[in-house]
Amino acid sequence: MALLDIENVNVAYGDVQVLFDLNISVHEGEVVSIIGGNGAGKSTMLKTISALMQSSSGSIMFDGKPMHNLPPEEVVNHGLVHVPEGRRLFSLMSVRDNLLAGAHNKKAYAVREKTLEEVYTMFPRLEERQDQAAMTLSGGEQQMVAIGRGLMACPKLLMLDEPSLGLAPILIAEIFRTIRAIADKGLTVMLVEQDVKHSLSLSDRGYVLEHGRAAMEGAANDLLDSPYIREAYLGI
Amino acid sequence: MDLVFIAQDCINGVLMGLIYGLVALGLTLIFGVLKVINFAHGSFLMVGMYVAYWAVTLSGLHPYLALVIIVPAMFLFGYWIQNLLIRPIFIAEKNVREPITVIIVTTGLWYVLDNLALLVFGPDYRALAPNPLKGQMLEFGEIFISVPKLYGAIATLATAGGLYLFLQRTRLGRAVRATSLDREAASLMGIGQWKIFNIAFGIGTAVAGISGAVLTPFYNVYPTVGIPFDIKSFVIVVLGGLGSIWGALVGGVIVGLIESVGPNFMASTWTEGIVYALFLLVLFVKPSGLFGQKQDW
């Protein structure tokens, strides 16, 4: 059984349906990329999984338990953690307090000092800046805080929404290297990206979302080699 | 004019100003988290004063000892008001960040509470009895310091310090700050918005309860006692910066000083004009208030 199983999920904003009978699964230890253009429904999908949005039908099972009837704060308790698009840091709080706020659920709070040390080892720059307000950091550093804050919640599955958004190319490469390093430690990652080349090349599998439907799925390498992806998403 | 009088007025102004700040503290905390102005805050103060009055009258406790009854009672009162009355509006208008209807509901609550008090307790002005602090003064040469106001000022500093430490140092306090900055991102971190709203409203109301206990030893209780404090609190939190603890205290002291020192130089009715002129000036020059921080979310 997959760690995360999304079955026949339909989501609408009022009268406008965004996701149509979506089926996606993520297995333990995998890195899965969800790629697609603007408006394909990628962020809506993540918001539905983390219960910020309600699906009109379908089921979302995580670790064998249904998630689609829970409020967002309880989804986190099960280890399903969503790092939102645009980072969404607590701007006036210090870097350290942002990270500690990530460890709010009881299980994560008990081991917060240990996790904090791991996050600081992964992002030494955050330790240097731990007392600075999050809003004073650069874009790349803010993304590190966002990922670190997600890790502080002790996730079983980390869902990242466009971590490369608005970053300089050199920082994008660094963020993707970090994501790969996190996955190599055994954490399951679901990566939603518009940067198709980078995200597929560090993933095991991928889905292509188009107009709210899963248009393609397969091993990440196969997708990278597919003529359709090369033409539509990579422009080669 | 004698400098002793000025010094006396300054001391009175600072003490009374800190107590104004204490009342405003509850308002600023609720605003900071929910982003809506609670127009019933003066009525919460009124309820706090009646709770203090009856707690002292029935138990015979010192008003400051009665805080062990007042604070939990007022916390639960605020917690349930938010949970039963205000939360449904936030849910109904979940796509609106600062639903204006909440202001209308809290204004309605103000009228209901004030009139309920009138119905139940009648229009009488009630003075605390037994009142161990009644009329007590400390003398320093020619300067007199009112003991109940001094205690009130100390209680204000203790409450502000306690709130600050709670917000900065505890898990729940951090969750309250996170919710105030980005409630959706906070919920993605496992911080439940409604629980935090309830708690913030409860704490703000408990602070109104502390203000009630502080005021009753030298201020009469009557059903509309909250109104002058409500308006003053609103001016104070705008002066100091909405959502700022220290801003509320500084704003309170500024208003207290203008009110008590001003009459040496002008007819005392003019002092209110100065307070409002300053209020407007701050809105024009620094709309986020003296200690407010601009934030985008």
Side-chain angles (χ1 to χ4, degrees):
Chain A
M1 194 177 52
L3 182 60
L4 175 70
D5 240 323
I6 303 173
E7 271 180 33
N8 300 320
V9 163
N10 287 284
V11 180
Y13 289 94
D15 292 336
V16 185
Q17 188 160 355
V18 181
L19 297 181
F20 299 85
D21 286 327
L22 192 66
N23 288 289
I24 280 177
S25 58
V26 178
H27 296 269
E28 204 164 341
E30 270 188 322
V31 178
V32 174
S33 272
I34 314 289
I35 59 176
N38 274 330
K42 306 188 299 297
S43 293
T44 304
M45 182 193 80
L46 284 194
K47 284 184 184 168
T48 310
I49 298 172
S50 57
L52 287 179
M53 290 190 66
Q54 291 296 313
S55 54
S56 46
S57 66
S59 75
I60 297 170
M61 303 292 284
F62 181 70
D63 221 359
K65 294 179 211 90
M67 294 289 122
H68 45 272
N69 294 321
L70 296 180
E73 62 269 18
E74 284 184 29
V75 170
V76 179
N77 294 340
H78 288 90
L80 187 53
V81 174
H82 173 186
V83 176
E85 184 178 0
R87 309 186 261 277
R88 301 287 288 273
L89 300 184
F90 305 121
S91 55
L92 298 175
M93 285 164 63
S94 69
V95 168
R96 188 186 150 83
D97 277 353
N98 264 278
L99 293 172
L100 287 174
H104 186 78
N105 71 75
K106 285 207 173 69
K107 254 182 272 165
Y109 194 72
V111 294
R112 66 191 183 282
E113 293 299 337
K114 191 173 142 276
T115 328
L116 190 65
E117 217 167 279
E118 286 169 18
V119 169
Y120 281 157
T121 314
M122 194 176 299
F123 305 110
R125 215 155 350 144
L126 298 189
E127 187 166 19
E128 289 164 29
R129 311 205 158 194
Q130 59 174 336
D131 295 320
Q132 260 178 259
M135 64 190 284
T136 64
L137 301 187
S138 72
E141 290 163 345
Q142 290 194 13
Q143 189 58 56
M144 293 175 194
V145 179
I147 294 175
R149 189 177 63 174
L151 291 173
M152 289 297 291
C154 295
K156 284 185 207 154
L157 169 59
L158 188 66
M159 305 188 288
L160 300 164
D161 196 352
E162 304 239 10
S164 73
L165 192 76
L167 298 185
I170 184 165
L171 289 173
I172 293 180
E174 194 185 327
I175 288 289
F176 280 117
R177 258 201 308 279
T178 311
I179 295 169
R180 187 63 247 180
I182 292 169
D184 287 341
K185 286 187 181 168
L187 185 60
T188 313
V189 175
M190 179 149 95
L191 181 58
V192 163
E193 260 297 343
Q194 294 206 42
D195 189 331
V196 173
K197 192 162 163 245
H198 272 111
S199 59
L200 280 180
S201 46
L202 70 80
S203 300
D204 301 311
R205 280 194 311 125
Y207 288 85
V208 181
L209 226 59
E210 280 178 1
H211 308 298
R213 296 177 172 87
M216 286 179 84
E217 68 163 293
N221 287 332
D222 296 345
L223 288 177
L224 270 174
D225 292 337
S226 127
Y228 174 70
I229 300 273
R230 289 169 70 89
E231 193 185 320
Y233 292 95
L234 299 171
I236 39 179
Chain B
M1 197 170 2
D2 205 328
L3 269 181
V4 174
F5 289 135
I6 302 279
Q8 174 77 61
D9 288 339
C10 282
I11 290 168
N12 274 339
V14 169
L15 295 182
M16 200 56 212
L18 282 170
I19 295 168
Y20 289 153
L22 180 60
V23 181
L25 209 54
L27 187 67
T28 211
L29 184 82
I30 291 173
F31 178 86
V33 178
L34 281 78
K35 309 294 172 199
V36 290
I37 285 286
N38 170 25
F39 271 97
H41 194 69
S43 302
F44 285 7
L45 172 68
M46 178 273 295
V47 172
M49 286 179 78
Y50 272 106
V51 171
Y53 173 85
W54 286 110
V56 171
T57 307
L58 297 177
S59 71
L61 284 172
H62 187 286
Y64 282 79
L65 282 179
L67 282 173
V68 297
I69 305 168
I70 299 164
V71 168
M74 291 299 285
F75 176 85
L76 290 175
F77 179 64
Y79 187 99
W80 286 103
I81 290 271
Q82 142 64 28
N83 201 28
L84 297 176
L85 226 56
I86 298 177
R87 188 179 61 134
I89 307 166
F90 272 100
I91 291 174
E93 300 210 37
K94 63 177 173 225
N95 298 321
V96 186
R97 200 177 65 187
E98 298 153 8
I100 205 91
T101 25
V102 172
I103 294 179
I104 297 167
V105 166
T106 58
T107 309
L109 187 62
W110 158 16
Y111 280 91
V112 169
L113 287 176
D114 282 15
N115 284 293
L116 265 180
L118 186 63
L119 195 71
V120 176
F121 302 118
D124 314 344
Y125 282 49
R126 292 163 190 265
L128 195 64
N131 184 357
L133 296 171
K134 190 177 180 184
Q136 278 190 39
M137 289 282 176
L138 291 177
E139 283 183 51
F140 296 97
E142 286 181 74
I143 291 178
F144 293 85
I145 295 176
S146 151
V147 172
K149 285 184 189 173
L150 181 66
Y151 279 18
I154 293 168
T156 301
L157 294 175
T159 306
L163 262 184
Y164 179 79
L165 289 179
F166 164 73
L167 290 172
Q168 295 294 326
R169 300 281 165 82
T170 67
R171 167 170 175 260
L172 191 56
R174 208 176 285 122
V176 169
R177 279 191 294 148
T179 304
S180 84
L181 290 166
D182 189 335
R183 48 185 86 139
E184 201 176 77
S187 72
L188 289 181
M189 297 299 117
I191 300 168
Q193 177 187 346
W194 307 122
K195 193 178 151 209
I196 298 295
F197 275 20
N198 289 347
I199 288 170
F201 222 85
I203 294 174
T205 312
V207 172
I210 299 175
S211 318
V214 159
L215 281 169
T216 37
F218 64 92
Y219 210 96
N220 286 331
V221 188
Y222 51 96
T224 53
V225 66
I227 293 173
F229 286 97
D230 199 3
I231 298 165
K232 233 168 250 167
S233 301
F234 185 66
V235 172
I236 287 166
V237 295
V238 171
L239 274 181
L242 280 160
S244 157
I245 292 180
W246 307 114
L249 298 196
V250 172
V253 169
I254 292 174
V255 170
L257 279 174
I258 294 175
E259 274 187 4
S260 76
V261 181
N264 289 308
F265 306 98
M266 66 195 89
S268 63
T269 40
W270 270 103
T271 57
E272 209 159 316
I274 295 199
V275 168
Y276 287 108
L278 192 65
F279 171 72
L280 283 179
L281 190 73
V282 167
L283 281 182
F284 284 132
V285 178
K286 196 170 184 299
S288 53
L290 299 172
F291 287 75
Q293 274 168 300
K294 262 193 216 161
Q295 47 158 304
D296 48 303
W297 61 296

